[in-house]
Amino acid sequence: MEDSETHNLQKETIKQQYEVVKARTAPPNDSNIGSHVREYGDKTFKDDKLFLYQGFYPAKSSITNRPLLSPSLKGAINQRDVDILFMWKKYEQLNVGSEEKQRALREFKETVLHRKHLDSSIDFIGKLVFGFEGPSVLEATKGPGQPLVDYWDCLKTMVRVFESQCGSLTQYGTKHMRAFTNICNNGVSETEMKEKSISACDSYNMGKWSSLVLGHSV
């Protein structure tokens, strides 16, 4: 809508707006920051003018197309790290030496440790199941046009088996969904997944991260 307000919709096409917004929301050479605009579905009407879909306000017919101001994305963070940033900012603002500040720091440290636990556990399970090629198997992608998941029920089962033994994935851990997908696509059984999850997480005290407390992610 920001782009639409600065352009004559009788002249700008859907394709032009897509390219402008894509460049506006994420730097072209860094995929780790910003928002990532994507195209889906039928693209045959990309050359249509925007007014056919958004309408047209006659008072703006004389608008000279103006480029959108692009904010600096240098300080952008991954969406999965927002909770960590919030915790740290909260900690910084609390009174030094207060019990609340100490509690905030403990919560921050516990969250970071659980994240590290998730990353290392899934990596270890991959090695237990697939050998030292495990990490590359877990990160494998399918070819264009192929479904991400062959067996949706299996994906749900594998995630729940893991969470029951290793703790909740939390929003952060959902980045590992591809790993669970590849475990399913490679025919790993529920029994084997449970055995390997126990091996990887048997000594971990889930505490508040238990799926019995937080529920399952899927």
Side-chain angles (χ1 to χ4, degrees):
M1 297 309 296
E2 183 181 359
D3 175 76
S4 296
E5 290 176 354
T6 61
H7 290 78
N8 184 336
L9 302 188
Q10 287 186 317
K11 295 181 179 181
E12 188 178 26
T13 66
I14 293 174
K15 179 180 180 180
Q16 288 172 326
Q17 185 171 81
Y18 167 78
E19 295 297 340
V20 168
V21 174
K22 181 179 179 180
R24 167 74 164 76
T25 55
N29 298 319
D30 192 341
S31 61
N32 293 318
I33 61 175
S35 299
H36 307 295
V37 178
R38 295 288 186 269
E39 294 178 297
Y40 299 96
D42 185 356
K43 304 175 187 177
T44 59
F45 52 86
K46 288 174 61 175
D47 291 327
D48 288 358
K49 298 295 190 291
L50 286 168
F51 82 93
L52 294 172
Y53 304 91
Q54 297 185 24
F56 177 68
Y57 183 41
K60 293 189 175 182
S61 61
S62 60
I63 283 180
T64 300
N65 291 348
R66 303 189 299 272
L68 294 179
L69 296 177
S70 297
S72 171
L73 295 174
K74 186 176 180 180
I77 64 168
N78 189 297
Q79 182 179 357
R80 293 189 178 95
D81 293 329
V82 170
D83 59 337
I84 284 288
L85 178 62
F86 174 79
M87 289 179 193
W88 185 252
K89 292 298 183 182
K90 176 182 176 182
Y91 166 75
E92 287 184 322
Q93 294 172 9
L94 293 171
N95 294 328
V96 176
S98 68
E99 183 179 341
E100 190 177 4
K101 191 177 185 74
Q102 294 175 0
R103 185 164 56 248
L105 182 59
R106 283 198 302 271
E107 181 182 6
F108 177 82
K109 289 181 176 180
E110 288 171 358
T111 300
V112 171
L113 287 174
H114 185 64
R115 287 178 169 213
K116 292 180 178 180
H117 159 72
L118 293 174
D119 293 340
S120 62
S121 296
I122 291 172
D123 181 74
F124 187 44
I125 289 171
K127 291 175 180 176
L128 290 175
V129 176
F130 303 110
F132 283 98
E133 295 298 319
S136 61
V137 174
L138 296 184
E139 296 172 4
T141 58
K142 287 190 167 186
Q146 293 185 322
L148 176 64
V149 186
D150 292 334
Y151 311 102
W152 285 101
D153 287 342
C154 174
L155 175 61
K156 180 178 179 179
T157 297
M158 293 302 177
V159 169
R160 292 192 170 195
V161 166
F162 174 85
E163 290 186 317
S164 294
Q165 306 302 325
C166 302
S168 174
L169 284 176
T170 68
Q171 182 185 27
Y172 169 80
T174 58
K175 73 175 188 176
H176 293 295
M177 283 299 176
R178 184 182 300 279
F180 292 105
T181 294
N182 285 322
I183 286 172
C184 286
N185 292 346
N186 281 277
V188 178
S189 69
E190 180 179 350
T191 299
E192 183 178 7
M193 181 61 180
K194 183 176 181 179
E195 291 175 351
K196 299 302 188 283
S197 295
I198 291 174
S199 297
C201 305
D202 189 46
S203 62
Y204 183 65
N205 181 11
M206 290 184 282
K208 67 178 183 179
W209 305 109
S210 170
S211 59
L212 296 177
V213 176
L214 298 178
H216 291 289
S217 300
V218 294

